[in-house]
Amino acid sequence: MVNKINLCLIALLFFSSCEQWVIPEDPKSEPLDIFDSLWEDVNERYSFFDHKEIDWEEIRTTYRARITNSTGSKGLYDVLADMLFELRDGHVNLNAGFDNSRNWEWYQNYPDNYDQNIIDENYLRKDFWISGPFIHQFLNDVLYVNYRSFSQNISEGNLQIILERAKQGQGLIIDVRNNGGGSLKNAYTLASGFTDSEVLAAKKRIKNGSGKDDFSSWEDLSVPAGENVYTGPVVVLTNRRSYSATTFFAQMMKVLPQVTIVGDQTGGGGGIPVFGELANGWTYRFSSTQTIDLEGRQIEDGVLADVRVDLNPVNIARGEDNIITRALRVIYENN
């Protein structure tokens, strides 16, 4: 068998054209080639050009004119980073080793609406429970759960602890303010604790061609059915720093009848990123999917709160989180 394979390879070498068997050249690493490579990949796979009304061709003309093949690494990085900033997307980064470009406008210039010291001192206090990634404490007869990052894995056991504790009281508050996201798997797991049947939450599609309108067909994004679920009133607290997987979680919870979103809208991040590497070793990522809610709104722009509340400086001065106060009122009104 090995000899037959070798003979086939020899035959291919002799009867194929030279062009077919020339080893491909290494990618060029001149600054202009690197620029073109990044621009072209974003051009083919980025998902929000039309939604954000971005003229990517014009951006190419503007930024390519700023470099030559004698441009140094720092100068090249600055141009590429500035170009990517035009996408206005927190899921867009360029990592050059010495710096990592980013766009945090999804939460800058908005109220923080979260104070960890007040939470620690006046709500969690000293006798809170820690169950995996969840920190939880009863506020009178309502269970308050603080979840800092969807990158922290949720086991079924972790989930069942908070669901069972919540059943001992009048309601449940899930605080995902300042949760910058992480794994979508954890978002699905947490949301599944509040429905025993699959519930349609959104539609999703992926950029799959070089044309501006080349997308896959829309597919359902649903809240998965859970077991031993909690069906009492639930409030989810969000702010502008609730991003990426947290936005997906907020959208999944928003469609459940017993759930109310309180606070500010999430920061968005509704496009799942894809990754690439340039010829000089720099890596990058950008959004390559779209997700819309059941009314056709892009969750890239954030999931709106059902009850819009900002932290009040007067309340903060006396150590009170008035967003939690409003959440408690919502729960009691729904009992």
Side-chain angles (χ1 to χ4, degrees), residues 73-91:
S73 292
K74 183 60 169 63
L76 176 61
Y77 169 83
D78 289 341
V79 172
L80 297 184
D82 289 348
M83 179 178 73
L84 292 176
F85 194 85
E86 297 278 2
L87 298 176
R88 308 191 302 276
D89 191 325
H91 273 148

Side-chain angles (χ1 to χ4, degrees), residues 146-295:
N146 194 288
Y147 183 35
R148 302 293 353 113
S149 173
F150 277 96
S151 63
Q152 296 176 293
N153 191 50
I154 300 172
S155 70
E156 187 61 31
N158 301 150
L159 179 58
Q160 286 304 315
I161 288 171
I162 65 168
L163 298 182
E164 289 301 320
R165 284 198 88 196
K167 292 174 184 178
Q168 300 170 21
Q170 296 297 309
L172 174 64
I173 297 172
I174 303 175
D175 193 344
V176 288
R177 290 175 293 175
N178 281 33
N179 185 322
S183 170
L184 275 177
K185 175 180 178 293
N186 290 322
Y188 281 111
T189 298
L190 184 52
S192 73
F194 306 97
T195 177
D196 57 7
S197 61
E198 188 174 286
V199 179
L200 178 65
K203 298 280 188 177
K204 59 184 178 179
R205 65 178 182 173
I206 186 170
K207 186 74 164 55
N208 63 357
S210 58
K212 293 292 188 294
D213 298 320
D214 290 340
F215 285 88
S216 65
S217 300
W218 288 106
E219 297 180 3
D220 291 348
L221 186 158
S222 299
V223 185
E227 298 181 1
N228 192 30
V229 301
Y230 178 73
T231 58
V234 178
V235 170
V236 176
L237 306 184
T238 59
N239 65 356
R240 294 282 182 153
R241 294 195 187 208
S242 303
Y243 191 73
S244 192
T246 315
T247 284
F248 281 86
F249 171 70
Q251 179 58 34
M252 286 187 275
M253 296 295 283
K254 191 178 180 71
V255 300
L256 301 180
Q258 78 276 30
V259 177
T260 305
I261 310 294
V262 174
D264 197 356
Q265 71 180 66
T266 71
I272 296 174
V274 291
F275 299 79
E277 182 173 354
L278 298 170
N280 60 355
W282 296 354
T283 57
Y284 58 91
R285 69 171 188 165
F286 55 83
S287 300
S288 190
T289 70
Q290 294 182 348
T291 302
I292 56 173
D293 66 17
L294 300 184
E295 297 177 350

Side-chain angles (χ1 to χ4, degrees), residues 19-38:
E19 288 78 11
Q20 290 174 311
W21 285 94
V22 170
I23 298 174
E25 294 181 1
D26 291 334
K28 295 181 179 180
S29 58
E30 286 84 355
L32 288 171
D33 292 317
I34 290 172
F35 177 95
D36 290 340
S37 176
L38 177 60

Side-chain angles (χ1 to χ4, degrees), residues 42-208:
V42 174
N43 185 59
E44 290 190 5
R45 296 197 289 164
Y46 186 65
S47 55
F48 292 118
F49 286 129
D50 284 347
H51 176 64
K52 297 183 179 182
E53 299 180 342
I54 295 170
D55 188 336
W56 195 235
E57 292 283 352
E58 181 180 351
I59 287 172
R60 179 184 188 274
T61 300
T62 299
Y63 286 94
R64 200 175 192 274
R66 288 173 49 183
I67 61 173
T68 68
N69 278 337
S70 61
T71 301
S73 292
K74 183 60 169 63
L76 176 61
Y77 169 83
D78 289 341
V79 172
L80 297 184
D82 289 348
M83 179 178 73
L84 292 176
F85 194 85
E86 297 278 2
L87 298 176
R88 308 191 302 276
D89 191 325
H91 273 148
V92 175
N93 304 99
L94 173 67
N95 189 348
F98 56 82
D99 202 356
N100 189 4
S101 73
R102 61 273 179 193
N103 187 334
W104 289 336
E105 290 184 336
W106 43 274
Y107 71 81
Q108 292 172 330
N109 302 318
Y110 297 101
D112 286 343
N113 283 333
Y114 186 74
D115 189 315
Q116 187 67 54
N117 288 331
I118 290 177
I119 298 297
D120 290 338
E121 294 176 9
N122 299 331
Y123 292 89
L124 291 173
R125 302 183 297 276
K126 295 181 179 180
D127 56 344
F128 57 84
W129 289 30
I130 302 175
S131 304
F134 300 126
I135 301 173
H136 44 114
Q137 172 69 282
F138 270 106
L139 307 179
N140 296 322
D141 53 359
V142 173
L143 185 65
Y144 170 82
V145 178
N146 194 288
Y147 183 35
R148 302 293 353 113
S149 173
F150 277 96
S151 63
Q152 296 176 293
N153 191 50
I154 300 172
S155 70
E156 187 61 31
N158 301 150
L159 179 58
Q160 286 304 315
I161 288 171
I162 65 168
L163 298 182
E164 289 301 320
R165 284 198 88 196
K167 292 174 184 178
Q168 300 170 21
Q170 296 297 309
L172 174 64
I173 297 172
I174 303 175
D175 193 344
V176 288
R177 290 175 293 175
N178 281 33
N179 185 322
S183 170
L184 275 177
K185 175 180 178 293
N186 290 322
Y188 281 111
T189 298
L190 184 52
S192 73
F194 306 97
T195 177
D196 57 7
S197 61
E198 188 174 286
V199 179
L200 178 65
K203 298 280 188 177
K204 59 184 178 179
R205 65 178 182 173
I206 186 170
K207 186 74 164 55
N208 63 357

